[in-house]
Each structure stands twice: as structure tokens, then as C-alpha cells.
Amino acid sequence: MEFQWCNKAFTRITGYEEHEALGQRGTILIGADLEQGIHLYIIEKLMNWENFSTKALNNRKNGETYWQRMSWTHLSDPETGNHWWLCSIIELEEERAEPTKPEVLDASVPDQESYERAVEKVHRLEKENVRLHRLARSVAKDANEDALTGLSNRRHFEVELKTWIENLKEHGAEFAVLYIDLDRFKFVNDTLGHDAGDRLLVSVAKMLKELTEKSDLVARLGGDEYVVLKPLGKSALNVSSLADEIVQRMQAPFSFDGKSTACSASVGVAIAKASMANPEQVVADADAALYHAKDQGKGRWSFFTEEMHAKSISTKQLASDLLLACERREFIPYFQPLIDARTGRIAYAEMLVRWCHPTKGILAPAAFLDTAAQIGILKRIDEIIFASVHGALTHLDEAGVDLPRVAVNVSAARLADPTFIHDIKSSGIAPERLTVEILESVYLDRMGDVVRWTIDELDELGVGIALDDFGTGHASVSGLLEIRPSILKIDRHFIQPIVENPSSRRLAASIIGIGKSLDMQVVAEGVETEEHAQLACEMGCDYLQGFYFGKPMSEDNLRDTLIENRGDFWSGGAQSTAVRSVGKAG
Ligand code: C2E
Ligand code: CA
Ligand code: CA
């Protein structure tokens, strides 16, 4: 403890002038003859921040000792977390002649044992004091500081942002916002553990501190999101080179405990200009630019443009329309037939969702699924269409139309959702009439136990499992080995060129070979002509799907088609003895 303040009476009693005392440690006043016991008592009270009062023998500046009564009062400032002791002293004239023992403790000469106990106690108290001190400091900083990285936290960032915007409005002080997001943080966390994740976050914070200047504000907004506010100098060059540098540095591998992994970052940049009507928008602009950088392939930065602004507005509109669409249950199932290549008959139908939009008509998934996934409503859409699929199967059965199975598409994220199995069970669809087509299976390997469990549960229930889009990069060989689906779907981009292009044909053949060698049934997607159908069939595909046999259609359309053709779509199958000729399927 140091002296922070003293008054004239203090100088009169102790002999120390104010300038001599301030900044000195309180121990300059402790008398050489102060009893051990009373000394410990004082330390204990001080360390525990307990107010107290005692008599003690003190030193004056000239070495003289004197008795005083001291009253200690603990003061603190909740705003800053600073603590003080206010000590008022009264000199006890009458004690001068005949010093009395302090009344607070038994001051008899301590024996060895109690001395050791006392030393131990001081030791403990000192430790406690260090802890309290840290606590006090952290309480003060907590308000503004991110505990993990020491950067500003979201709260402090928001306060600062207001100030920067006021400065912009009043003094034209323009600034840049850099919104930074790690591309594979979840992966690092999941594979290397949370300690590694924390370490990564701290190292990013350090890197940002290194690359920025004192006048910049660096904050961690939570998770793996950071933001930098940077005053705009004469050129915007220093902003772009900062964004560049951040992206570059994050390309370097991150290592932890001898393991190393890549975790790039994406950055969105926007400028708050004096001419802007609504500069508060600048952080949302940077966020939109960040989104764009991610969309363009991550590990890069991008600058906010007006088009992004338009896009972010329309995405918001779409998101709110989608929420309404869930309320109104505007999602309906369409069905596309899959043909057994041997018999030419319908094997099953793939359900493809459509949004029956009140003004825009029937919308394909590309128009809304990404946004739906982002706002987390795939589960609700699934509930709506699963119920309709159940209804459709019942209606078809009642009409005496044979549709053995239906396949539904399931995103990787939904497989990692522990409620998915419940949703399947409560859909009412008989499990043996259901196949699940797994999308983006490349993401599955990092999703861990829930996915594994979900897949095992599906298997147990008797639900078929298909791997979708094989060959696109959305589906991986490792996913294939992990999931062991009974059906492998070859993406239409491999099937479509097989008629014209022999090397595409060889590629398709080798992809089909992978599935066959693992005893899987193979589906050729994108069969648009008789030649496609013939070739795919000759190459060993078990099922054929594509516009040649039928586009995705409504339940009513499917029923009418199946009644009309009695489930027979193709006469050119492997069992067909007919001369193969190009012609319309019967
Ligand atoms: P996918 O699972 O690969 O579905 C096949 C897509 O290819 C469908 O597009 C289908 O209309 C189209 N297609 C079928 N045959 C042909 C053909 O011969 N030529 C061409 N050019 N295209 C053909 P759609 O209906 O637009 O669905 C697109 C994607 O949306 C689907 O791709 C699937 O990934 C996703 N999707 C559809 N329904 C759902 C759903 O309910 N949930 C989820 N999570 N995703 C869905
Ligand atoms: Ca599919
Ligand atoms: Ca597909």
C-alpha cells in the first residue's frame, strides 16, 4: 500500500511532509518495537478489507516512537474497481510515558509454534490478497474487456462505435470497419479441443493487436468474430493492406500440441463516410461484405458495395417471408420418379420441396433453402413436408397406386440435430417406405457422435440411406466409407456428358465402379435422353432419374402419371429384348 493522500495533522504527528509521504509505502510508519501480534492483526484486517481500529506503536520521521489509535475504513470505487484504506490516527499523549499492550490480541511473546502458525497465516493472507487484487482488477476490466483475449468486448465496442459515429458527424472523422470471422473455428474446436480453440482465439487477438495502431479499436464480439475500427487516413490503402495482411497471416497453419491445422479468416470491409445519411449502418455493411467474402470461397476479404446492400436487404425480406411461409405452411412436396434400370418400372420417388409462394408461384429450393438454413427453419420445413409426404403416400395407397418408397433430402446440419430421428418417427411415414438422401456429406466427418447415432438409428428403424451428389465435392469418399449407404447417387454433371464425350464416360464408369465395388446400388441422376438411359444402364447403374422419365411433379400429377402408365416408364431396360433405338420411353 502506498500513501495517496495526507493532511496537515498527519505531518504534525509523523514529521513527514506531504511530498515526502506520498508514493511511499505505509511501512515507513511502523515502529521497530511494534508487537508481532498486533502487526499480524493489522495485516489480516487489511487483507480481508475489514474495517478496524487498534492502538499501535509507530515511528516518527526522526526515529522517535509514539502511541496512536488508528481507525481504518475501506473505500472502493465500483466504476474503476480501485480500493483504498482511509486511516485516521490520533496520537495518544498519555500512553507516551507508559506504553500499554494492545488490547486486540494477546501480545505475550509468541512461542515457536504460534509464530509458525502466524507466518503461515500471513502467507495465506498474502496469497488471498493477490487473488482479491486480481479479482478487483478483473471486475473493473470485465466491464469493457473480453476475458479471454483482453480485447474490447462487444459492450465496449458498441459504446466506442457510438463515439466514433458522433465524431464522424461532428468533425467528419471518417473510419473503416473491418469485420473478421474465422473460417474453420468450429472445426479446430471440435477436432483439437477447446483449449486449442481458445489458444487460436488468443493468437488471432495478438495478431490483430500487432497489425493495428494505438488509434484503432480492436474488439472481439464473441465466438470467432472480431472487429477493427480504423480512422481513415489520407488514402484507403492502409485499410486494404491491413485486410490483406490479416488474410495472409491467417493462411499460415495453426499448431497446437504438436498438431497443426489450417484456419483461414474472411474479412468484410466498409467505410463510414461523412456523406452517409445513416453511418450507423456501417457495421451491417461490413457484415454484408464479410458474407460476400465467405460466399466467394472464404480466406479472402471483400469491400462493401451497393449491390451487397441491395442483396442484404432482399435476403432480410426473404428471411421474413420464409418465417411467414412456415406459419402458413406454404411448403409442398414435389415428386420425381426413379426408374429401376432392369425393369423400367418405378422404383421409388424422390421428394423435392417447393415453396408455393402467394405471389411468385412455385419456387425451387435454390430460391430459398440457403436462407432457410441460415435462419434455422429447415426443421420446421421438414415437419411441414414430412406430414405432406405421409398424406401423399396414404392417398396413393387409397387410390390403388403402387409407390413403394419415397426418398427425402436431408442436410448435414439436420443429421447432426438430435431431434431429427424424432421428427422422422413422428412423421407417420412407415420407415421401410422411406429413404434418406444425405446432402453435403463432406461436412459430416467433423460432426461427430450425433450424426453417427442418427445414422445408426435410421438403419435400425429400417430407413434406407442414400448418399447424394456423389462426385461433386459435396460428397466425399471418406463420407462414403463412414456412412456406408445402400444407395449412391451419381451427380447429373457426370451423367449428362457421357453421350457426347468418351472421357466423361470413362470418368462416370469409374465413379459407378466405386459404388459397385462397395456393393451399393447406383443411381444415375440427370438422365435427359434415351441415350443417357441406355448408356447408364449398360454401365451398371441400378436406377435412373431425370427429366427423360419425368420432372419433379405435384402429388396429383404423380398419381395421374402412375395411373396412366401403371408404373411402367421405360421399355429399354436391361431385361428388354427390344432392339435398342432412340425413341420416347413408353
Ligand atoms: P438434388 O437432391 O440433387 O435433387 C435433384 C435436382 O436435380 C432437383 O432439383 C431436380 O429437379 C433436378 N433434376 C432432376 N432431374 C434432372 C435432369 O434430368 N436434368 C436437370 N438439369 N436437372 C434435373 P431441385 O428440385 O431444384 O432441387 C435442388 C436441390 O435442392 C436438391 O438437389 C436438393 O439438394 C435440395 N433439396 C430439394 N428438396 C429438399 C428438401 O426437402 N430438403 C433439403 N434439405 N434439400 C432439398
Ligand atoms: Ca437428392
Ligand atoms: Ca442429387
Side-chain angles (χ1 to χ4, degrees):
M1 276 195 301
E2 291 172 356
F3 285 108
Q4 299 278 314
W5 172 86
C6 60
N7 60 7
K8 291 222 178 62
F10 172 84
T11 304
R12 224 177 304 126
I13 296 172
T14 66
Y16 285 101
E17 293 289 338
E18 184 178 347
H19 71 270
E20 292 171 312
L22 296 195
Q24 295 282 349
R25 289 165 64 85
T27 46
I28 57 170
L29 296 182
I30 294 180
D33 305 331
L34 182 64
E35 284 294 341
Q36 187 88 45
I38 200 147
H39 193 177
L40 289 179
Y41 170 81
I42 294 171
I43 290 175
E44 179 180 353
K45 292 287 175 197
L46 291 179
M47 286 182 169
N48 287 328
W49 304 107
E50 274 175 50
N51 295 348
F52 68 104
S53 165
T54 184
K55 275 196 257 181
L57 191 67
N58 261 23
N59 257 345
R60 289 194 228 273
K61 188 183 164 191
N62 62 12
E64 217 180 289
T65 58
Y66 68 99
W67 280 96
Q68 65 180 11
R69 172 160 286 282
M70 323 189 270
S71 296
W72 293 78
T73 309
H74 173 216
L75 305 173
S76 70
D77 179 351
E79 285 275 292
T80 63
N82 290 335
H83 290 252
W84 301 273
W85 282 106
L86 177 67
C87 176
S88 59
I89 54 180
I90 300 171
E91 186 171 358
L92 302 172
E93 306 267 355
E94 71 280 15
E95 307 283 348
R96 220 185 263 175
E98 193 206 317
T100 53
K101 305 284 183 197
E103 77 253 25
V104 285
L105 274 185
D106 173 12
S108 56
V109 179
D111 55 21
Q112 185 61 23
E113 197 185 322
S114 65
Y115 180 72
E116 276 166 11
R117 262 206 317 275
V119 169
E120 193 188 302
K121 195 169 178 188
V122 171
H123 206 70
R124 222 179 45 238
L125 289 169
E126 267 169 357
K127 267 201 196 148
E128 179 62 7
N129 193 38
V130 170
R131 195 184 69 83
L132 285 174
H133 196 72
R134 284 211 191 106
L135 195 71
R137 217 174 37 196
S138 72
V139 165
K141 281 170 133 193
D142 263 3
N144 291 331
E145 204 173 79
D146 168 43
L148 179 65
T149 62
L151 299 179
S152 292
N153 60 17
R154 182 182 283 276
R155 225 185 70 173
H156 187 229
F157 167 73
E158 276 164 6
V159 172
E160 279 288 311
L161 179 66
K162 274 206 186 98
T163 316
W164 286 54
I165 286 173
E166 271 163 28
N167 257 332
L168 171 72
K169 287 179 174 165
E170 281 166 26
H171 312 292
E174 302 188 325
F175 61 94
V177 178
L178 288 86
Y179 209 122
I180 301 140
D181 188 284
L182 307 189
D183 294 327
R184 289 182 6 125
F185 180 66
K186 192 176 169 341
F187 178 73
V188 173
N189 234 355
D190 290 351
T191 55
L192 300 185
H194 289 268
D195 286 349
D198 283 359
R199 185 85 70 78
L200 175 61
L201 294 175
V202 170
S203 75
V204 172
K206 226 175 107 200
M207 182 264 289
L208 291 175
K209 270 288 179 202
E210 266 168 38
L211 294 179
T212 50
E213 288 157 78
K214 259 219 146 72
S215 51
D216 303 347
L217 180 89
V218 186
R220 174 168 165 247
L221 299 186
D224 57 347
E225 283 178 28
Y226 300 79
V227 72
V228 175
L229 299 184
K230 190 175 187 57
L232 209 58
K234 287 227 158 45
S235 83
L237 209 62
N238 56 355
V239 173
S240 63
S241 52
L242 173 60
D244 244 1
E245 188 76 7
I246 293 171
V247 168
Q248 292 300 328
R249 292 249 193 139
M250 290 301 295
Q251 301 293 358
F254 164 74
S255 45
F256 179 79
D257 252 6
K259 292 183 211 101
S260 132
T261 183
C263 181
S264 57
S266 301
V267 183
V269 183
I271 306 268
K273 297 194 204 85
S275 59
M276 276 165 91
N278 193 5
E280 288 81 4
Q281 179 66 28
V282 68
V283 176
D285 291 352
D287 191 27
L290 171 68
Y291 189 80
H292 182 76
K294 294 246 174 202
D295 213 33
Q296 294 294 300
K298 306 182 175 170
R300 65 189 64 216
W301 68 276
S302 83
F303 196 79
F304 177 75
T305 62
E306 277 310 310
E307 293 88 81
M308 289 179 201
H309 182 59
K311 189 158 178 237
S312 84
I313 287 180
S314 72
T315 307
K316 272 184 208 136
Q317 183 63 47
L318 177 60
S320 78
D321 289 354
L322 276 170
L323 290 174
L324 200 62
C326 280
E327 294 297 313
R328 298 180 179 159
R329 301 178 78 84
E330 286 169 358
F331 301 99
I332 55 166
Y334 262 42
F335 299 91
Q336 188 179 31
L338 278 90
I339 311 308
D340 186 323
R342 279 179 308 117
T343 63
R345 291 186 57 79
I346 186 161
Y348 64 97
E350 178 178 1
M351 190 281 291
L352 295 152
V353 67
R354 295 292 181 265
W355 178 4
C356 197
H357 193 281
T359 56
K360 295 180 189 155
I362 303 285
L363 298 181
F368 60 90
L369 270 192
D370 278 353
T371 306
Q374 269 170 42
I375 60 175
I377 56 166
L378 285 189
K379 181 181 161 66
R380 294 184 65 192
I381 295 181
D382 278 352
E383 276 163 19
I384 296 165
I385 45 179
F386 286 178
S388 304
V389 168
H390 178 230
L393 281 173
T394 311
H395 302 153
L396 290 171
D397 290 349
E398 282 164 5
V401 173
D402 182 31
L403 178 64
R405 285 180 100 90
V406 171
V408 297
N409 290 280
V410 177
S411 66
R414 277 249 58 205
L415 277 191
D417 168 0
T419 66
F420 176 69
I421 287 292
H422 171 263
D423 294 347
I424 287 277
K425 283 184 184 162
S426 53
S427 70
I429 305 169
E432 65 279 5
R433 292 183 80 178
L434 189 64
T435 294
V436 159
E437 290 192 6
I438 299 180
L439 303 167
E440 318 122 4
S441 55
V442 72
Y443 299 125
L444 293 183
D445 42 340
R446 59 168 102 154
M447 287 189 165
D449 292 347
V450 180
V451 170
R452 189 68 263 167
W453 175 82
T454 304
I455 290 173
D456 288 347
E457 265 317 272
L458 288 173
D459 220 28
E460 189 101 327
L461 285 171
V463 173
I465 294 173
L467 193 68
D468 209 348
D469 302 334
F470 192 69
T472 53
H474 279 307
S476 62
V477 174
S478 69
L480 185 65
L481 297 175
E482 171 83 2
I483 298 165
R484 287 262 162 187
S486 51
I487 295 178
L488 188 63
K489 300 191 77 177
I490 314 288
D491 191 73
R492 67 179 143 92
H493 293 103
F494 292 97
I495 301 298
Q496 277 165 348
I498 60 174
V499 175
E500 264 93 54
N501 188 332
S503 61
S504 300
R505 207 174 308 149
R506 279 195 296 277
L507 177 60
S510 60
I511 297 176
I512 294 166
I514 295 175
K516 295 267 104 183
S517 70
L518 292 170
D519 279 338
M520 293 164 184
Q521 296 186 301
V522 175
V523 178
E525 291 184 339
V527 173
E528 294 186 350
T529 63
E530 173 69 22
E531 290 98 319
H532 281 127
Q534 287 293 350
L535 273 171
C537 177
E538 278 165 22
M539 289 159 91
C541 288
D542 302 278
Y543 304 108
L544 310 173
Q545 177 182 12
F547 292 171
Y548 183 51
F549 303 110
K551 292 194 170 177
M553 56 189 102
S554 68
E555 178 194 329
D556 288 349
N557 252 329
L558 178 72
R559 186 198 53 224
D560 293 348
T561 306
L562 289 178
I563 289 173
E564 200 184 307
N565 68 9
R566 297 202 183 82
D568 209 354
F569 280 81
W570 191 40
S571 58
Q575 286 182 346
S576 155
T577 50
V579 179
R580 286 188 181 152
S581 62
V582 178
K584 187 84 182 82

